[in-house]
Amino acid sequence: MSSTEALREHEAQERKANRARAKAGRSVIFKIIRCDGPGKPSRWESFKVPVEPGSNVISCLKWIAANPVTIDGKQTTPPVWDSGCLEEVCGACTMVINGKVRQSCSCLIDEYAPLEGDTITLEPMSKFPVVRDLWVDRARLFNALKRVKAWVPIDSTYAQGAGPKESPEHQQTRYRLSECMSCGCCLEACPQYNIEEDESKWDESFIGAHAISQARLFNEHETGKRLKGERLEELSDKGGVGDCGNAQNCVKVCPKHIPLTESIGAMGRATTIHAIASFFTGKK
Amino acid sequence: MSDNRVIVVGGGLAGLAASVRIAESGVPVDLFSMVPVKRSHSVCAQGGINACNEIARQQGYSEYEHFDETIYGGDFLADQHPVLEMANWAPKIIDLLDRMGVPFNRTHEGFRDLRLFGGSLFKRTHFAGATTGQQLLYALDEQTRRYETEGKVTKYEFWEFLWPITHEGRCVGIVAQDMRTMQIRAFRASAVVMATGGCGLVFGKSTNSVICTGGAASRCYQAGAAYGNPEMVQVHPTAIPGADKLRLMSESARGEGGRVWVPRKKGDTRNPVDIPEEERWYFLEERYPAYGNIVPRDIATREIFDVCVNEGMGVDGQNQVYLDLTHRDPDYLTVKLGGILDIYEKFVGVDPRFTPMKIFPAVHYSMGGLWTDYTPGDYNPDAPKPGHKSGSPIPVDAQKGHGLTIGATNNMMTSIPGLYAFGEVNFAYHGANRLGANALLSCIFDGLCNGVSVVNYIKDVKEEAPQGVFDEAVRSEQAKHDKLVASTSGGTGDKAYNPYQIAKELGDEMTAASTVVKTGPRLEQAIAKIGELMQRFGKVELGDAASWTNQSLSFTRATGDMLKIADAILRAGLLREESRGAHFRKDFPERDDSRFFKTSVARYNPETGKSDIEFVPVKAPLVEPRARTYGKSDTKKETKETAAAAS
Ligand SMILES: Cc1cc2nc3c(=O)[nH]c(=O)nc-3n(C[C@H](O)[C@H](O)[C@H](O)COP(=O)(O)OP(=O)(O)OC[C@H]3O[C@@H](n4cnc5c(N)ncnc54)[C@H](O)[C@@H]3O)c2cc1C
Ligand code: SF4
Ligand code: SF4
Ligand code: FES
């Protein structure tokens, strides 16, 4: 068992134990970072929320939005957050919960705050500019997908027969990589991924584990391979795979269990081979 | 047409397929979405996408069979020509998705794998694990991103569509609002495609994502677009009951062998794995020997409802039944269904590979939606082409005739010229009940096939609407917006005017009155209740006056729009005095073709603020209605073979 798997197993056991001792009919305290907009100061606000069976962080936020009164009785505005599917597949609802980045929709209160008066803290991700409260702007995450040309360059959408045949093993490899939902957990946890003051620098700074893994996904596809050289050029450049410090924080927090370190390793080797090949062929 | 642009509102499968098709033809696209398109609700789709394929074909299946199943499954309320064309395109659409890199599950030899799905006795559902919608959406998202980098698609993400702009009867643009800065702006276009999905949130809790309010469709309806079959809302048989959302357990669980049962003994408290086979009641298998657990959704839903609510046989005395996969190999389940089994485990805390799941029906899909037009193609069963026998289920394909005239400018155009509706937001394909794995298909088909219609339409659009039209539209939306913001101060503080409270009462009422079993008196009561909520909404008090990223405002505005759609759903449901597909009237339990082989068309009446309903005969049917029994054992004894022939 890898250290990542061991960690995940340990966390799962802990959550299970909490669930087993969760008290029915309790209230928990939500401590939330509030911020009215970019450049505005932030503040903490606390709310006391009654927990229903099966409650998660989003359902509690909804309750707060409908009853926006802090624990000291102060009327406030409904908190703002991002969400979509509520089943951990759209990637919208990433937050820092009790100091750790994760999806909030799948964060069950029973697993995190099993007893009366337990506290849950909610903070926005720190690697993206805050829009308001818990909502951040992840445009730079999607821009990274443009940088690595994360698509298959098909001729057109007109009927031209089937795609390439593929073994089930190869399909499983691609499928695992293709489950990345652009949530940003891997970026929040990465010590090399930083938010510079100067926005124009973002596209040169470290591209992030998710995009490296997407480059691998498309390099693995028969037609996708046609852009392999361009992807590897991008990953060899400033902010590419060479900037990864191999801290492996990313893979520990990925909610989709994407084999990120495997992808980083594969792309690291591929860029090296690509560089040597370009050197000998004189092509860059 | 040099400066002609097209606006696509919505970046789910339908909107992205349309954007790619239209951009590919050289027309610039402005793509609007409330969420980054990669997070659109289509991402939730689990089970798969239907298409005739070579294996099924050799067993007697065909595109025609797919067409016929869809019509039969929809209880003969769908527009038949578009469905025929869709079935014909289906295999080619799968090929295209395959070329785009969708990781469809594979057989040992490397062919695309297939699974069984409701309403068919043939394996014709293609899938990528149990997150097919996610994988299809990503493929189209990637292609769209490619066009974005080439400057052919401009994305407006986190922009909310507010109103269609019309001039001299044509749609010439939209008003939209930036959800961060709250700026309200008009955008010009030669045509607008609505691809804004369904309206599950009208029912409060459903299997839908948090933005599926139907607000955008409601605004088009209030602006004069007709709305077809609003009463046809699908309740999916198998969802996990939950406090905030009813998370779907895809039909693929049954397609992969999942069995639905309850203990034969009422109130049996034993652990389900300890209950012996003979003490389990597999009621779907018993009542439908041919289709068993894969009867279509409306039927499965009513049977589960019947067993729990009428017979009181629900597990633990509650409204829930077992969906059991424990007889299958756990590793097989992981490869085929991992995505959904993880959802169950994550939210319920029990591993469904080893313990039967507890599930209950939940609102899932709106078959109804913006009414759309089309031009039929040359396929005519009464005037068969060579090699084509009239009236018998013979494969049809492009050589043997088209369901639609490809590229006709009115294909999937709403009653407002220049305003199109693609995907779940239209009403055309699924009649009174949608077959599983046909929605993804209809969304992509709309984008690819009818995207061409949009391109053709704008070739003839010349006139430039004067600027005043756009300024006026912005003013009108700004005024509505400002009125809502003003309601934050000087209010009564009375809960009755809290938007969340109004939305909750709306959801509760709609779920109670207009889902699995409906009756005339209960629908009338609900109409009155919605009227009361509309009155209260007139005095709604917003909790947030912020002029920056005001989510409460967006939600409140959508609540008002949901009330309008709810009214249409209830009125059409009241007037349709029959039972058909998902619409079951206890007081009129039979289908009544003489009166209701008809589409209900709702038009918004600005005077009353309510809906006027008209029943219009289903257009030029290719197959005539026949009894829809799915071989129920107590109606008619049928073997697997005869049921197959009948379908
Ligand atoms: C849990 C679940 C599982 C499903 N599984 C399957 C399956 O296995 N097979 C199948 O065939 N079907 C399935 N379906 C149905 C299918 O997923 C949907 O019908 C389909 O994805 C709808 O796609 P769409 O493109 O029409 O709209 P959506 O994907 O809903 O996209 C709507 C778009 O419109 C935008 N939008 C909405 N309102 C506005 C506004 N006011 N302004 C701007 N933009 C707006 C949104 O941002 C979004 O981009 C499933 C549905 C659910 C809920
Ligand atoms: S392994 Fe690389 S990408 Fe992952 S967290 Fe560490 S530095 Fe970041
Ligand atoms: S790799 Fe994992 S953590 Fe990173 S964006 Fe994708 S799903 Fe999220
Ligand atoms: S809301 Fe979609 S991942 Fe949480």
Side-chain angles (χ1 to χ4, degrees):
Chain A
M1 196 188 267
S2 76
S3 64
T4 303
E5 282 165 32
L7 178 81
R8 283 191 191 277
E9 183 57 35
H10 173 74
E11 287 174 351
Q13 289 306 331
E14 203 170 338
R15 289 200 302 270
K16 207 169 154 191
N18 277 343
R19 182 145 55 192
R21 67 196 181 109
K23 288 262 170 309
R26 71 190 182 285
S27 293
V28 303
I29 312 297
F30 273 81
K31 264 185 82 183
I32 305 176
I33 292 247
R34 306 295 308 267
C35 170
D36 294 339
K40 302 266 174 67
S42 41
R43 58 183 190 279
W44 287 98
E45 273 178 5
S46 297
F47 303 86
K48 191 170 174 188
V49 181
V51 178
E52 276 184 61
S55 284
N56 58 52
V57 166
I58 304 264
S59 67
C60 291
L61 279 170
K62 275 194 194 158
W63 188 90
I64 296 171
N67 308 276
V69 180
T70 67
I71 202 160
D72 358 276
K74 198 178 93 206
Q75 187 76 32
T76 182
T77 52
V80 170
W81 72 92
D82 200 357
S83 66
C85 65
L86 304 187
E87 52 193 51
E88 205 175 71
V89 68
C90 79
C93 67
T94 323
M95 291 172 200
V96 178
I97 302 174
N98 288 353
K100 210 186 134 196
V101 69
R102 62 163 294 158
Q103 299 317 110
S104 51
C105 65
S106 58
C107 183
L108 303 186
I109 308 304
D110 280 359
E111 297 182 344
Y112 274 66
L115 304 177
E116 174 70 31
D118 279 354
T119 301
I120 291 182
T121 61
L122 303 181
E123 298 166 78
M125 283 192 281
S126 64
K127 304 290 173 78
F128 305 95
V130 171
V131 178
R132 188 177 167 188
D133 296 337
L134 300 165
W135 186 7
V136 297
D137 177 358
R138 277 171 281 187
R140 60 186 298 218
L141 181 159
F142 289 111
N143 278 340
L145 300 179
K146 293 183 192 158
R147 279 167 72 183
V148 294
K149 298 193 165 37
W151 54 76
V152 174
I154 54 167
D155 288 348
S156 78
T157 58
Y158 289 85
Q160 284 171 308
K165 250 173 112 181
E166 186 176 28
S167 73
E169 295 74 27
H170 195 252
Q171 180 271 343
Q172 283 293 307
T173 306
R174 286 203 309 120
Y175 178 68
R176 274 169 78 205
L177 300 176
S178 187
E179 279 195 292
C180 169
M181 57 180 179
S182 300
C183 64
C185 288
C186 57
L187 307 176
E188 178 67 16
C190 172
Q192 298 298 105
Y193 194 81
N194 293 310
I195 175 166
E196 276 109 41
E197 290 274 324
D198 179 0
E199 214 174 301
S200 66
K201 290 240 166 63
W202 288 355
D203 285 347
E204 292 165 27
S205 55
F206 181 44
I207 193 162
H210 75 301
I212 297 173
S213 189
Q214 287 284 303
R216 176 178 171 219
L217 167 64
F218 290 96
N219 284 357
E220 286 286 337
H221 186 266
E222 268 317 303
T223 319
K225 269 192 189 125
R226 302 201 58 90
L227 298 176
K228 187 171 173 181
E230 291 170 57
R231 293 195 192 101
L232 294 177
E233 292 292 332
E234 179 64 33
L235 289 183
S236 311
D237 261 359
K238 207 157 169 276
V241 67
D243 283 16
C244 162
N246 205 21
Q248 308 210 355
N249 291 1
C250 49
V251 71
K252 295 191 185 109
V253 296
C254 173
K256 290 284 139 183
H257 301 211
I258 314 271
L260 291 170
T261 36
E262 209 181 286
S263 292
I264 293 166
M267 288 301 96
R269 287 189 298 278
T271 48
T272 312
I273 295 167
H274 180 69
I276 297 170
S278 318
F279 177 80
F280 282 110
T281 56
K283 277 192 273 181
K284 203 190 141 41
Chain B
M1 60 174 270
S2 61
D3 53 357
N4 275 354
R5 305 181 72 81
V6 169
I7 284 177
V8 175
V9 185
L13 286 172
L16 295 183
S19 299
V20 171
R21 223 339 131 78
I22 294 169
E24 187 178 74
S25 70
V27 177
V29 173
D30 294 320
L31 173 58
F32 289 77
S33 172
M34 289 178 76
V35 298
V37 295
K38 193 176 177 179
R39 309 201 196 287
S40 293
H41 169 62
S42 291
V43 81
C44 294
Q46 303 172 342
I49 175 167
N50 294 334
C52 180
N53 56 81
E54 288 319 308
I55 296 179
R57 200 186 296 286
Q58 292 165 53
Q59 295 167 348
Y61 195 66
S62 65
E63 284 86 349
Y64 187 90
E65 196 75 17
H66 184 185
F67 154 72
D68 189 69
E69 272 169 7
T70 306
I71 300 300
Y72 182 66
D75 224 346
F76 300 91
L77 202 56
D79 272 353
Q80 299 194 0
H81 286 90
V83 172
L84 177 64
E85 192 63 27
M86 172 177 86
N88 280 345
W89 278 52
K92 294 176 197 126
I93 287 175
I94 304 295
D95 279 350
L96 171 64
L97 294 164
D98 188 4
R99 277 166 53 215
M100 287 179 180
V102 171
F104 284 114
N105 275 48
R106 298 283 162 168
T107 63
H108 283 295
E109 215 182 315
F111 292 107
R112 291 180 301 234
D113 203 356
L114 297 160
R115 67 163 51 124
L116 213 50
F117 238 75
S120 183
L121 297 169
F122 294 92
K123 282 193 179 181
R124 46 109 164 97
T125 304
H126 304 70
F127 61 102
T131 62
T132 311
Q134 177 196 42
Q135 295 305 316
L136 302 190
L137 184 72
Y138 289 1
L140 288 164
D141 171 65
E142 289 146 10
Q143 295 300 322
T144 307
R145 188 166 292 105
R146 174 181 170 205
Y147 284 114
E148 197 189 358
T149 56
E150 293 174 12
K152 294 175 184 163
V153 172
T154 310
K155 277 189 194 155
Y156 292 86
E157 291 174 327
F158 295 119
W159 278 80
E160 181 174 357
F161 162 89
L162 299 184
W163 206 256
I165 305 177
T166 52
H167 177 59
E168 294 175 347
R170 281 175 185 249
C171 182
V172 294
I174 65 167
V175 186
Q177 179 167 38
D178 185 327
M179 295 164 71
R180 291 148 303 186
T181 65
M182 306 307 280
Q183 180 200 16
I184 293 178
R185 245 193 82 182
F187 294 83
R188 283 174 183 267
S190 304
V192 173
V193 178
M194 299 303 295
T196 48
C199 61
L201 263 68
V202 168
F203 295 81
K205 289 192 281 182
S206 74
T207 64
N208 289 190
S209 296
V210 299
I211 53 166
C212 301
T213 60
S218 173
R219 288 163 204 161
C220 294
Y221 156 74
Q222 291 169 64
Y227 200 95
N229 295 332
E231 73 278 27
M232 295 304 173
V233 174
Q234 179 165 75
V235 181
H236 195 291
T238 60
I240 317 169
D244 56 335
K245 180 182 182 177
L246 309 171
R247 295 176 179 84
L248 184 73
M249 263 310 116
S250 164
E251 191 166 301
S252 50
R254 283 177 289 138
E256 295 292 354
R259 304 178 73 185
V260 175
W261 62 277
V262 290
R264 284 201 183 272
K265 200 171 98 218
K266 225 178 209 172
D268 193 331
T269 53
R270 280 176 293 175
N271 185 334
V273 289
D274 296 335
I275 300 180
E277 198 63 24
E278 64 279 6
E279 292 176 42
R280 300 173 174 196
W281 182 25
Y282 294 100
F283 53 93
L284 288 177
E285 295 170 33
E286 187 178 298
R287 291 179 179 176
Y288 300 87
Y291 286 82
N293 293 291
I294 54 158
V295 286
R297 294 175 177 178
D298 56 325
I299 294 180
T301 293
R302 273 194 295 279
E303 296 293 354
I304 293 171
F305 191 86
D306 180 58
V307 163
C308 293
V309 178
N310 300 338
E311 306 205 15
M313 294 289 288
V315 173
D316 303 334
Q318 292 181 17
N319 284 340
Q320 49 189 13
V321 300
Y322 288 125
L323 171 58
D324 194 347
L325 280 163
T326 57
H327 54 289
R328 310 268 356 209
D329 170 35
D331 293 332
Y332 173 88
L333 292 176
T334 303
V335 171
K336 296 288 176 91
L337 299 171
I340 56 168
L341 301 183
D342 284 352
I343 291 179
Y344 192 86
E345 192 172 3
K346 212 163 276 167
F347 287 94
V348 183
V350 173
D351 188 343
R353 293 168 192 83
F354 305 102
T355 308
M357 296 180 268
K358 292 178 189 167
I359 52 95
F360 195 67
V363 168
H364 182 57
Y365 184 89
S366 34
M367 279 76 72
L370 292 172
W371 179 91
T372 44
D373 206 356
Y374 64 85
T375 304
D378 56 5
Y379 177 73
N380 177 357
D382 297 327
K385 307 204 166 199
H388 197 186
K389 263 192 289 163
S390 169
S392 63
I394 294 169
V396 287
D397 59 28
Q399 282 74 47
K400 296 192 183 107
H402 280 289
L404 289 179
T405 299
I406 309 288
T409 56
N410 69 341
N411 287 347
M412 296 306 132
M413 192 187 267
T414 66
S415 58
I416 300 177
L419 184 69
Y420 291 80
F422 290 1
E424 188 171 342
V425 75
N426 73 26
F427 91 114
Y429 299 96
H430 307 293
N433 171 59
R434 172 173 72 83
L435 289 189
N438 257 354
L440 301 180
L441 178 63
S442 63
C443 290
I444 300 175
F445 169 72
D446 264 340
L448 293 179
C449 178
N450 302 318
V452 176
S453 298
V454 178
V455 173
N456 289 342
Y457 167 79
I458 67 171
K459 285 181 186 152
D460 301 330
V461 178
K462 296 237 160 47
E463 89 272 48
E464 279 279 295
Q467 185 57 33
V469 173
F470 298 91
D471 296 342
E472 181 46 39
V474 169
R475 248 196 310 278
S476 156
E477 286 308 306
Q478 189 72 50
K480 289 187 211 164
H481 171 268
D482 294 349
K483 184 170 169 240
L484 277 180
V485 172
S487 74
T488 43
S489 56
T492 57
D494 188 339
K495 204 158 178 155
Y497 305 120
N498 180 313
Y500 296 94
Q501 182 63 28
I502 295 176
K504 185 175 180 307
E505 289 179 35
L506 164 68
D508 290 347
E509 184 68 9
M510 291 301 286
T511 302
S514 184
T515 48
V516 185
V517 176
K518 311 177 193 178
T519 65
R522 186 66 187 85
L523 288 168
E524 275 171 13
Q525 192 188 335
I527 291 171
K529 173 75 187 178
I530 300 305
E532 179 220 315
L533 291 175
M534 283 181 180
Q535 299 241 311
R536 275 162 52 189
F537 186 80
K539 296 187 219 156
V540 72
E541 292 169 8
L542 201 62
D544 188 357
S547 53
W548 179 267
T549 321
N550 191 330
Q551 283 179 329
S552 309
L553 190 142
S554 168
F555 175 79
T556 304
R557 185 168 44 206
T559 302
D561 298 323
M562 286 195 286
L563 289 167
K564 301 279 164 62
I565 291 288
D567 179 68
I569 293 173
L570 295 172
R571 283 176 199 273
L574 177 65
L575 293 175
R576 187 180 286 280
E577 294 178 331
E578 64 157 354
S579 293
R580 184 184 294 272
H583 174 75
F584 180 73
R585 283 282 300 264
K586 204 172 164 189
D587 38 359
F588 297 94
E590 300 299 327
R591 191 175 81 194
D592 183 353
D593 289 328
S594 62
R595 287 174 70 206
F596 293 109
F597 182 32
K598 287 176 180 162
T599 303
S600 60
V601 178
R603 285 195 183 74
Y604 182 68
N605 184 333
E607 308 278 296
T608 59
K610 306 279 165 65
S611 194
D612 294 334
I613 311 282
E614 187 191 350
F615 284 89
V616 181
V618 170
K619 274 189 265 182
L622 298 169
V623 292
E624 291 298 330
R626 58 182 184 271
R628 181 174 178 268
T629 60
Y630 285 96
K632 186 167 182 168
S633 59
D634 54 15
T635 356
K636 210 176 2 155
K637 278 266 174 260
E638 268 182 319
T639 64
K640 205 162 178 136
E641 285 70 30
T642 56
S647 75

